[in-house]
């Protein structure tokens, strides 16, 4: 039928004749009983019934759904009616719904449905029911009536829920993709003779060769939401025309970490194999890409045979600041796990899996080891993209804060150790909740330590940290307003929890309701979201204000020494939509509802202003001192705005609320990363030319030596410093670095 965007004249004889000749229907009396979506987002229930046989549709077939377009009054002339429907709102049962015609124009076939089929939804039924309905109706039209046969045909239990797709590769091989959209297992037969027949078929996800000479069909079981990727290619004279691996001995990764943090232990990497030869060895290397295949870690060889899997331990060395080629992925390093087979010393049939190298902890520059007692060293350490250590959650801890700023912060313990003759003689540590950061550690060599000295740094989880920090930028919250004017409806959902909004005014003799709205919005000074409050300030008030309050789960005590309160800081960002005059205020309340506070006039830059102070700068609202505030029973944090303009509406946005203080490490946790200076290479030595002379360069402290032969004897060049120019001579000359 004509679409909603096409003009037509149902009474025009040419129009009616064309529809009759092509579709075998009369449209003279056709009317759009429902034509929604364009001006009205509306769907109406519709029930269809089978009145003839076509594919899976038989007389008595029934289905129900909602649709946005229903035509009535379409009458068959030479078309065959396969389905009828109930009409709009059930008013016209028996309305023609699906009509098909064979022999239309030069023997062609046509079909027409009088309702919108593609954009339909379940009518109080499970989604699978609607999936079945579309499969039944579309299958009847295209497969049974028009005779279209897919290149990849899927039959069997729950086959209707399996989506097939394929692509032809540049050498004629084929990739077949199948996805089970259902939550139940689909046990199916895949028929694709033009793609599979006579070819070797490999499963690229589960691994292994499914058949060496396919008949064109394959049996396959797909779990709920599972994907299969099959690769079909010719195999001749012992060689496969595979773009992945032409060797008939197949090798693939079954498990591999997407990222590694060197921790002193090898990483387990799982490999699957399907072998045609015997006496093969499996090895896996940890390599940097683009650096002449530099192998930084290599597994021991493992003898394998037949079809199976194996877990291989691959060493990943800790950071080496003396090696400029061994850099982390954020520093520009590109790494892979490289697996291959060996036989008689020859490598073949390899595969690679990308992996990110990240420093759990590492020095930012080479560390001094020539130390003397009493010497104080400043050691900069860094760490990168630390992951969550909650079981089953590999999310980087920095990203978790962006997804949900209410997520409890996970602490790591970073420790620097100084060793003398292999024994720890000094330790400095800190707690961090930052996934990527640096810190400058200070270490003094003990007076009784004689060396030789080395350094170690460790990273451990710290799950038992006593902290009263509150860090909230309202990320990850559902956005919404408690009062939505579009529907004039007040919701019961408080989007800002655990922060609760409030307002006040005095004397407010007319008892004006100040509150108008609050919630979480897509606007932020930190991240993308913030909390907001909309408040009306009546005229003639002595004081008035609004804000948010947070109640600690348990009461806690500040130090008795108020000088230590400088270690506690409080801050938040605020914006008033119209820049109205106000005062920003932070309060810390005790259980007796008394408080100390810090205030600052609102002076925005680009709309936002920030207030920040340490608790030793707070005072009682009545003046210097604590007033009635009880520091031994801290209960509530408050971010408050004092309104200074009357008879106006304030629209306030709050973001990046930060209350931070000292944390107590109660111990426990597991080591997750390690650095040892004893593992560092001796140094990096390079020889180049500036065009006029040869230049010898090195990065770390050491003594340059020279010799006429690699076997020596070697002579110290004690006065040489990097870069060191060398005048080319007639005799060969070798250089090395020593400590």
């Amino acid at each position: 039928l004509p679409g909603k965007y096409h003009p037509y004249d149902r009474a025009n004889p040419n129009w009616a004749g064309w529809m009759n000749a092509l579709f075998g229907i009369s449209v003279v009396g056709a009317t759009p009983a429902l034509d929604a979506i364009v001006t009205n987002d509306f769907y109406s229930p519709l029930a269809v019934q089978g009145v003839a046989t076509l594919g899976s549709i038989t007389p008595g077939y029934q289905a129900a759904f909602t649709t946005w377009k229903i035509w009535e009054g379409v009458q068959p002339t030479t078309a065959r009616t396969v389905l009828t429907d109930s009409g709009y709102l059930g008013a016209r049962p028996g309305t023609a719904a699906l009509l098909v015609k064979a022999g239309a124009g030069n023997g062609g076939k046509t079909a027409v449905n009088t309702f919108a089929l593609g954009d339909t939804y379940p009518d109080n039924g499970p989604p699978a029911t609607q999936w079945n309905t579309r499969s039944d109706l579309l299958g009847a039209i295209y497969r049974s009536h028009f005779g279209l046969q897919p290149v990849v045909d899927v039959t069997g239990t729950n086959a209707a829920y399996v989506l097939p797709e394929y692509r032809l590769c540049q050498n004629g091989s084929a990739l077949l993709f199948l996805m089970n959209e259902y939550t139940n297992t689909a046990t199916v037969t895949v028929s694709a003779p033009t793609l599979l027949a006579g070819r070797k078929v490999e499963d690229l996800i589960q691994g292994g060769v499914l058949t060496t000479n396919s008949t064109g069909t394959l049996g396959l079981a797909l779990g709920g939401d599972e994907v299969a990727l099959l690769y079909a290619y010719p195999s001749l004279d012992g060689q496969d025309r595979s773009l992945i691996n032409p060797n008939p001995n197949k090798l693939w990764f079954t498990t591999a970490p997407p990222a590694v943090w060197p921790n002193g232990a090898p990483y387990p990497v799982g490999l699957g194999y399907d072998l045609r030869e015997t006496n093969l060895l499996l090895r896996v290397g940890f390599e940097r890409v683009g650096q002449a295949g530099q192998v930084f870690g290599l597994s021991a060889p493992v003898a394998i045979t037949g079809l199976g899997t194996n877990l291989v331990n691959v060493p990943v060395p800790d950071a080496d600041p003396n090696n400029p080629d061994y850099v982390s992925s954020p520093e520009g390093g590109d790494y892979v796990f490289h697996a291959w087979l060996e036989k008689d010393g020859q490598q073949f049939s390899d595969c690679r899996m990308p992996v990110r190298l990240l420093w759990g902890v590492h020095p930012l520059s080479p560390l001094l080891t020539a130390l003397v007692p009493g010497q104080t060293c400043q050691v900069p350490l860094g760490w990168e993209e630390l992951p969550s250590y909650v079981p089953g959650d590999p999310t980087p801890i920095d990203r978790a804060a962006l997804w949900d700023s209410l997520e409890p912060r996970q602490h790591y313990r970073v420790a620097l150790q100084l060793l003398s003759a292999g024994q720890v003689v000094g330790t400095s540590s800190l707690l961090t909740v930052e996934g990527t950061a640096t810190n400058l550690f200070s270490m003094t060599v003990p007076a009784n330590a004689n060396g030789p000295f080395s350094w170690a740094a460790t990273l451990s989880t710290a799950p038992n940290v006593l902290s009263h920090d509150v860090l909230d930028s309202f990320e990850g919250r559902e956005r919404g307003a408690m009062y939505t004017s579009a529907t004039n409806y007040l919701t019961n959902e408080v989007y800002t929890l655990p922060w609760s909004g409030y307002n006040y005014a005095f004397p407010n003799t007319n008892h004006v309701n100040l509150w108008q709205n609050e919630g979480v919005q897509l606007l932020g000074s930190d991240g993308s979201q913030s909390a907001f409050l909309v408040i009306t300030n009546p005229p003639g008030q002595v004081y008035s204000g609004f804000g948010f309050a947070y109640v600690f789960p348990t009461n806690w005590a500040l130090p008795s020494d108020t000088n230590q309160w400088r270690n506690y800081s409080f801050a938040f960002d605020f914006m008033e939509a119209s820049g109205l005059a106000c005062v920003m205020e932070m309060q810390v309340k005790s259980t007796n509802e008394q408080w100390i506070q810090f205030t600052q006039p609102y002076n925005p830059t680009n709309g936002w202003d920030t207030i920040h102070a340490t608790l030793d700068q707070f005072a009682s609202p009545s003046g210097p001192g604590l007033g009635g505030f009880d520091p031994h029973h801290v209960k509530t944090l408050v971010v408050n705005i004092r309104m200074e303009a009357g008879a106006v509406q304030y629209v306030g946005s709050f973001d990046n609320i930060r209350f931070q203080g000292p944390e107590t490490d109660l111990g426990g946790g597991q080591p997750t990363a390690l650095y040892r200076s004893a593992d560092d290479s001796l140094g990096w030595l390079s020889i180049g030319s500036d065009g006029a002379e040869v230049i010898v360069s090195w990065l770390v402290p050491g003594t340059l030596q020279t010799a006429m032969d690699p076997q020596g004897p070697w002579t110290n060049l004690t006065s040489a410093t990097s870069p060191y120019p060398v005048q080319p001579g007639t005799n060969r000359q070798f250089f090395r670095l020593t400590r």
Side-chain angles (χ1 to χ4, degrees), residues 256-260 354-357:
V260 292
V355 59
R356 286 172 59 78
L357 171 64

Side-chain angles (χ1 to χ4, degrees), residues 253 257-262 267 269 283-289 293-299 313-318 326-329 333-340 353-359:
F253 287 92
V260 292
W261 290 262
Y267 273 85
V269 176
R283 301 199 76 164
V284 182
F286 175 69
E287 300 179 0
R288 183 173 178 187
V289 178
Q294 286 193 22
V295 180
F296 289 100
L298 184 61
S299 72
N313 292 317
V314 184
V316 178
D318 61 322
Y326 193 44
V327 296
S328 69
S329 295
D334 188 8
Y335 294 88
V336 295
F337 286 119
H338 178 198
W340 65 85
M353 176 68 71
V355 59
R356 286 172 59 78
L357 171 64
L358 301 163
W359 301 135

Side-chain angles (χ1 to χ4, degrees), residues 357-637:
L357 171 64
L358 301 163
W359 301 135
V361 60
H362 74 121
L364 303 184
S365 58
L367 301 184
L368 294 174
T369 56
L371 305 173
V372 296
Q375 180 179 352
T376 298
C377 303
Q378 304 297 320
V379 180
L381 296 182
W383 50 95
E384 298 172 336
E385 300 182 23
L386 303 185
S388 164
Y389 49 80
V390 173
D393 178 16
T395 306
I397 59 174
D398 281 343
R399 188 181 302 174
L402 295 177
W403 286 349
D404 186 356
S405 53
L406 275 180
E407 185 72 19
R409 296 299 179 97
Q410 297 179 45
H411 292 78
Y412 276 91
R413 184 184 307 110
V414 183
L416 173 69
Q417 296 176 331
L418 175 64
L419 295 87
S420 174
Q423 301 297 314
V424 177
V425 295
T427 300
S428 178
S429 65
L430 65 78
L431 294 172
T432 183
V433 295
E434 296 181 273
T436 300
T438 64
N439 186 71
L440 187 63
F441 290 80
S442 181
M443 183 77 70
T444 300
V445 181
N448 60 350
N450 298 314
F453 294 102
S454 64
W455 299 91
T458 60
L459 178 79
S460 305
T461 61
N464 303 309
V465 174
L466 179 62
S467 172
H468 302 297
D469 290 356
V470 177
L471 307 171
D472 201 344
S473 57
F474 300 96
E475 302 304 310
R477 304 291 214 296
E478 180 182 357
R479 293 192 299 272
M482 294 181 65
Y483 178 82
T484 56
S485 59
T487 57
N488 197 33
Y489 178 69
L490 181 64
T491 71
N492 293 320
E493 183 169 0
V494 182
Y495 296 92
T496 59
L497 289 176
W499 295 89
S500 56
Y502 66 87
N503 60 83
Y504 60 91
F506 179 81
N508 197 10
T509 54
N510 295 325
H511 304 289
V512 176
N513 181 18
L514 280 65
W515 185 92
Q516 291 182 280
N517 207 349
E518 71 179 83
V520 173
Q521 61 187 342
L522 188 61
L523 172 71
S525 64
D526 179 69
S528 61
Q529 297 188 169
S530 64
F532 71 88
L533 272 166
V534 182
I535 302 294
T536 292
N537 190 24
Q541 303 303 308
V542 177
Y543 58 82
S544 57
F546 62 93
F548 288 100
Y550 169 85
V551 178
F552 286 99
T554 57
N555 304 331
W556 57 280
L558 283 164
S560 299
D561 181 3
T562 56
N563 290 324
Q564 296 184 32
W565 290 14
R566 66 172 57 95
N567 297 322
Y568 295 81
S569 65
F570 196 179
F572 73 93
D573 299 343
F574 176 76
M575 179 174 67
E576 203 292 312
S578 301
L580 296 174
C582 57
V583 174
M584 304 167 65
E585 182 175 79
M586 300 179 294
Q587 300 175 357
V588 179
K589 286 187 173 182
S590 53
T591 52
N592 61 6
E593 293 301 317
Q594 299 299 307
W595 69 89
I596 54 174
Q597 65 187 35
F598 181 87
T599 63
Q600 169 184 303
Y602 173 58
N603 185 22
T605 300
N606 296 325
W608 290 96
D609 194 9
T610 299
I611 181 173
H612 177 273
T614 53
L615 292 196
D616 59 312
Q617 299 173 279
F618 283 53
S620 168
S622 59
L626 300 182
F629 174 70
D630 179 4
H632 301 295
H633 297 88
V634 177
K635 176 185 178 182
T636 309
L637 298 177

Side-chain angles (χ1 to χ4, degrees), residues 199-214:
R199 295 185 169 192
K200 181 180 288 189
V201 182
E202 190 176 348
D203 187 332
L204 297 185
I205 293 181
Q206 298 297 330
V209 175
L210 300 181
T211 177
T212 58
N213 187 13
S214 174

